[in-house]
Amino acid sequence: MLNKDGVPSLDQIKTCFPNLESLQKPKAIIECYEEIPCNPCSTSCPFKAIYIGPNINKRPQVDFNKCTGCGVCVYSCPGLAISVAQLVGKEVRFKISYEFLPLPQVGEIWTAINRSGQMIGKAKIEKVTLTKVQDKTALIQVLVDSSLLYDFITVGKKI
Ligand code: SF4
Ligand code: SF4
């Protein structure tokens, strides 16, 4: 439970996702559950797809019609609270932020990890981006089984 161990319930997680039809295209998934004074997600989005409004404490809202899944908000969020998800056949393509070293390499298989830190499957590394503008937050693109849509959160180690 979120307020006891920091792990959101499935119902809470689902509130952050658009419907499955929208997920045929990449969409930002913002898991920012608390009201905090923060807004880099909103100010960084090139498509003005994230709304916080005049009260910076309000939780960010994504306009899935405007979101292109570009991933800029993913590495701009200091709380590492954003990913991008897209259904691709029987798999899900995620873009996640990653701040550990060594970075995964394209083509490697890493463990898929859930919000409780448990291994739940495999993640194929498709792309790794770390430009100067990203500072030290890499953007990792992975493919996982679609059954992990609401479970997957990050990668753990190389298999
Ligand atoms: S993924 Fe790109 S378009 Fe979508 S909300 Fe984030 S920055 Fe905006
Ligand atoms: S930048 Fe991240 S932590 Fe800050 S409001 Fe946006 S989603 Fe929440």
Side-chain angles (χ1 to χ4, degrees):
M1 194 182 294
L2 190 60
N3 57 5
K4 284 196 173 168
D5 57 13
V7 180
S9 67
L10 180 59
D11 283 346
Q12 287 172 313
I13 293 167
K14 284 185 173 179
T15 63
C16 305
F17 281 72
N19 60 40
L20 296 184
E21 192 181 335
S22 296
L23 275 182
Q24 299 301 316
K25 293 184 176 173
K27 300 296 173 190
I29 310 300
I30 301 188
E31 293 197 55
C32 190
Y33 296 104
E34 305 290 339
E35 292 200 340
I36 53 172
C38 185
N39 69 359
C41 54
S42 179
T43 56
S44 69
C45 176
F47 301 94
K48 302 195 185 313
I50 302 177
Y51 179 76
I52 290 180
N55 181 351
I56 195 174
N57 292 296
K58 290 296 180 188
R59 293 175 58 197
Q61 306 294 324
V62 186
D63 183 338
F64 292 115
N65 293 317
K66 290 183 180 174
C67 175
T68 66
C70 69
V72 170
C73 60
V74 177
Y75 58 75
S76 301
C77 167
L80 308 185
I82 309 179
S83 60
V84 166
Q86 178 188 15
L87 288 170
V88 184
K90 293 181 178 176
E91 295 177 297
V92 194
R93 176 172 288 132
F94 277 100
K95 291 177 189 171
I96 59 170
S97 48
Y98 194 81
E99 295 186 337
F100 296 103
L101 293 173
L103 288 175
Q105 300 296 310
V106 173
E108 291 178 348
I109 306 295
W110 281 48
T111 54
I113 303 294
N114 69 9
R115 291 166 182 76
S116 299
Q118 299 160 328
M119 192 187 114
I120 49 171
K122 296 176 182 175
K124 181 178 181 185
I125 310 296
E126 284 194 316
K127 197 172 178 181
V128 178
T129 311
L130 183 55
T131 62
K132 204 169 181 182
V133 73
Q134 290 172 236
D135 196 6
K136 292 183 174 61
T137 304
L139 191 66
I140 312 286
Q141 182 174 303
V142 303
L143 273 180
V144 300
D145 191 272
S146 62
S147 63
L148 304 181
L149 177 62
Y150 301 120
D151 230 6
F152 173 81
I153 195 70
T154 192
V155 294
K157 61 181 180 182
K158 185 180 168 186
I159 297 176

